[in-house]
């Protein structure tokens, strides 16, 4: 996978990178490579929750894959804006936005308010931020209300972050395509 670069002097919205793609497209690997090119420590903001053994195994695999010294994992399924604000001086990787949307939906939380808090904190960050999300709007229209709402909420969230971010990248088959900004 070709590695894009982060400019460590770009902060706030300009220092925000949104990486989108399908499942197993290479989004997380790209995000981790971009972040670890910066001096450590790095914060890995994990939004996933283990509702079953298979998801617990996925979470453990993700943790084990971050072998490089310098990673600090923060598990927060809901208040990602608070974590981004708390660690404003450190590079943060949020993985992933669509699991965050899932958490919000399943706990009947206000996604619009949480998104607004996220959008407000990104310009205040003093270190680069990478946000990873699954692009779920490329497939068929889901057959049930909850799945359609999830697709719509994720799509709106990605659009709002993309409008604000300095760089947006789409990953397919491990290949990054810069949609906004430039590869450094």
């Amino acid at each position: 996978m070709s590695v894009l670069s982060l400019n460590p002097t770009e902060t706030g919205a300009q220092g925000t990178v949104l990486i989108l793609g399908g499942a197993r497209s290479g989004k997380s690997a790209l995000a981790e490579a971009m972040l670890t090119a910066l001096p450590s420590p790095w914060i890995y903001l994990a939004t996933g929750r283990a509702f079953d053994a298979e998801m617990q195994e996925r979470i453990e695999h993700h943790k084990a894959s971050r072998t490089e010294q310098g990673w600090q994992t923060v598990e927060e399924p809901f208040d990602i804006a608070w974590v981004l604000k708390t660690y404003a001086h450190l590079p943060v990787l949020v993985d992933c936005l669509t699991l965050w949307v899932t958490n919000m939906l399943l706990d009947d939380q206000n996604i619009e308010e949480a998104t607004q808090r996220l959008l407000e904190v990104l310009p205040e960050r003093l270190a680069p931020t990478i946000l990873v999300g699954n692009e779920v709007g490329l497939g068929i229209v889901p057959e049930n209300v909850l799945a359609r709402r999830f697709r719509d909420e994720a799509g709106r969230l990605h659009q709002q972050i993309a409008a604000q971010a300095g760089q947006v990248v789409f990953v397919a088959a491990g290949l990054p395509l810069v949609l906004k900004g430039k590869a450094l």
Side-chain angles (χ1 to χ4, degrees):
M1 171 182 303
S2 99
V3 177
L4 302 171
S5 298
L6 285 172
N7 181 343
T9 63
E10 286 186 343
T11 61
Q14 272 310 113
T16 299
V17 179
L18 175 61
I19 300 177
L20 300 171
R24 295 286 180 251
S25 63
K27 304 176 303 292
S28 294
L30 174 62
E32 289 176 19
M34 289 175 73
L35 209 64
T36 57
L38 299 175
S40 67
W42 317 286
I43 303 298
Y44 190 100
L45 173 48
T47 62
R49 295 190 293 174
F51 291 111
D52 57 33
E54 188 269 343
M55 187 60 174
Q56 183 62 46
E57 192 175 304
R58 285 177 180 260
I59 289 170
E60 293 305 320
H61 173 75
H62 260 279
K63 286 180 183 177
S65 72
R66 292 188 298 277
T67 58
E68 196 165 340
Q69 288 289 341
W71 282 112
Q72 178 181 344
T73 301
V74 176
E75 296 181 5
E76 176 51 58
F78 301 107
D79 199 353
I80 61 176
W82 175 83
V83 175
L84 289 170
K85 193 169 193 152
T86 300
Y87 295 97
H89 290 80
L90 295 175
V92 174
L93 164 56
V94 178
D95 197 358
C96 93
L97 291 172
T98 41
L99 285 175
W100 178 65
V101 168
T102 299
N103 296 335
M104 301 292 283
L105 283 171
L106 292 177
D107 279 37
D108 199 28
Q109 297 203 20
N110 190 320
I111 296 171
E112 190 175 319
E113 284 180 13
T115 297
Q116 190 57 43
R117 286 193 305 274
L118 171 60
L119 293 171
E120 289 170 2
V121 78
L122 288 174
E124 298 172 3
R125 293 221 359 104
L126 303 172
T129 309
I130 300 177
L131 302 124
V132 175
N134 291 299
E135 178 51 66
V136 296
L138 298 173
I140 60 172
V141 175
E143 68 179 24
N144 67 71
V145 173
L146 180 59
R148 286 190 298 273
R149 181 169 178 220
F150 166 76
R151 180 211 48 201
D152 294 348
E153 295 287 359
R156 280 190 286 273
L157 172 66
H158 293 157
Q159 287 184 53
Q160 290 175 297
I161 292 173
Q164 188 172 317
Q167 188 174 34
V168 179
V169 180
F170 185 80
V171 181
L175 302 172
L177 172 65
V178 177
L179 302 176
K180 180 181 178 183
K182 60 181 179 164
L184 300 173

